[in-house]
């Protein structure tokens, strides 16, 4: 097929280039040019940030990949959907693809604000999920969850619909 033919030609050219170089040149290039691994995530991907090695309960929420760091290489710039703040140089091992929460999942919901920058976060249960169309990249954040908000001292139990970015979940590594 076309792809394997192109790959063979590229390999042949690479091998020819390496063969025409002296052993000293080849070894100095190998020492000074570390291989660049392709990025697992792309700009616009919706992810969650958490540490799979931590034994602590972590609160995780959708975030958006805003860029790939080049200096130092290997990190990502991410915008948190909870407050719109950008964080830099996040190692790839902390980024995980966002997966919609399952029906029946116990999550945390942002149902409003006490005052500016002070969200009201309450426990709730996912009743239904309506993905964005098409559910790709940052459009995922336009999906909606129907949730049952648990009763609190200030609010009676009730159903409501919230956008994806208003839900958070608890994560505990299974180790």
């Amino acid at each position: 097929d076309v792809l394997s033919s192109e790959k063979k030609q590229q390999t042949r050219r690479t091998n020819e280039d390496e063969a025409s170089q002296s052993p000293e040149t080849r070894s100095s290039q190998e020492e000074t040019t570390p291989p660049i691994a392709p990025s697992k995530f792309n700009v616009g991907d919706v992810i969650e940030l958490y540490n799979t090695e931590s034994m602590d309960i972590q609160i995780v929420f959708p975030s958006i990949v805003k860029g790939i760091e080049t200096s130092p290489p290997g990190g990502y710039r991410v915008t948190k959907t909870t407050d719109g703040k950008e964080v830099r140089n996040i190692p790839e091992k902390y980024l995980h693809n966002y997966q919609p929460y399952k029906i029946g999942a116990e999550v945390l919901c942002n149902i409003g604000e006490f005052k500016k920058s002070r969200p009201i976060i309450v426990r709730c249960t996912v009743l239904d999920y309506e993905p964005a169309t098409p559910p790709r990249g940052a459009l995922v954040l336009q999906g909606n969850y129907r949730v049952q908000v648990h009763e609190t001292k200030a609010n009676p139990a009730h159903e409501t619909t919230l956008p994806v970015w208003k839900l958070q979940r608890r994560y505990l590594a299974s180790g």
Side-chain angles (χ1 to χ4, degrees):
D1 73 339
V2 175
L3 290 175
S4 66
S5 174
E6 286 181 17
K7 186 92 170 151
K8 287 177 186 172
Q9 286 179 346
Q10 185 180 19
T11 302
R12 192 177 319 116
R13 281 193 298 264
T14 302
N15 291 343
E16 289 169 358
D17 290 345
E18 287 176 356
S20 68
Q21 295 175 348
S22 71
E24 295 80 19
T25 304
R26 278 197 307 267
S27 97
S28 72
Q29 281 182 337
E30 289 167 4
E31 290 171 15
T32 60
T33 313
I36 298 173
S39 297
K40 182 177 173 185
F41 300 96
N42 297 309
V43 172
D45 284 353
V46 177
I47 53 95
E48 290 181 319
L49 294 171
Y50 56 89
N51 181 353
T52 58
E53 298 165 6
S54 173
M55 290 297 117
D56 295 326
I57 294 175
Q58 300 168 68
I59 303 300
V60 298
F61 44 83
S63 296
I64 303 170
V65 175
K66 295 303 278 188
I68 299 166
E69 300 287 3
T70 55
S71 179
Y76 291 86
R77 280 191 333 270
V78 172
T79 298
K80 301 185 301 178
T81 58
T82 53
D83 59 13
K85 292 186 177 161
E86 186 174 284
V87 287
R88 302 182 68 101
N89 294 319
I90 305 293
E92 187 172 272
K93 71 179 188 174
Y94 299 122
L95 279 68
H96 305 275
N97 287 314
Y98 172 79
Q99 298 295 321
Y101 305 145
K102 294 179 178 159
I103 293 174
E106 296 293 319
V107 296
L108 300 171
C109 295
N110 175 346
I111 61 168
E113 292 184 326
F114 288 112
K115 55 185 178 181
K116 189 157 178 57
S117 300
R118 292 272 315 196
I120 301 170
I121 306 293
V122 295
R123 291 178 42 237
C124 54
T125 303
V126 174
L127 302 174
D128 196 18
Y129 173 63
E130 182 182 326
T133 309
R136 287 191 310 245
L139 290 176
V140 167
L141 297 174
Q142 294 179 8
N144 289 299
Y145 285 99
R146 189 166 54 87
V147 297
Q148 174 72 37
V149 175
H150 295 212
E151 182 176 355
T152 66
K153 290 179 184 176
N155 294 299
H158 64 279
E159 281 187 24
T160 191
T161 299
L162 296 170
V164 165
W165 56 274
K166 292 265 191 172
L167 274 67
Q168 305 171 18
R169 68 184 178 98
R170 292 178 186 95
Y171 173 82
L172 179 60
S174 54

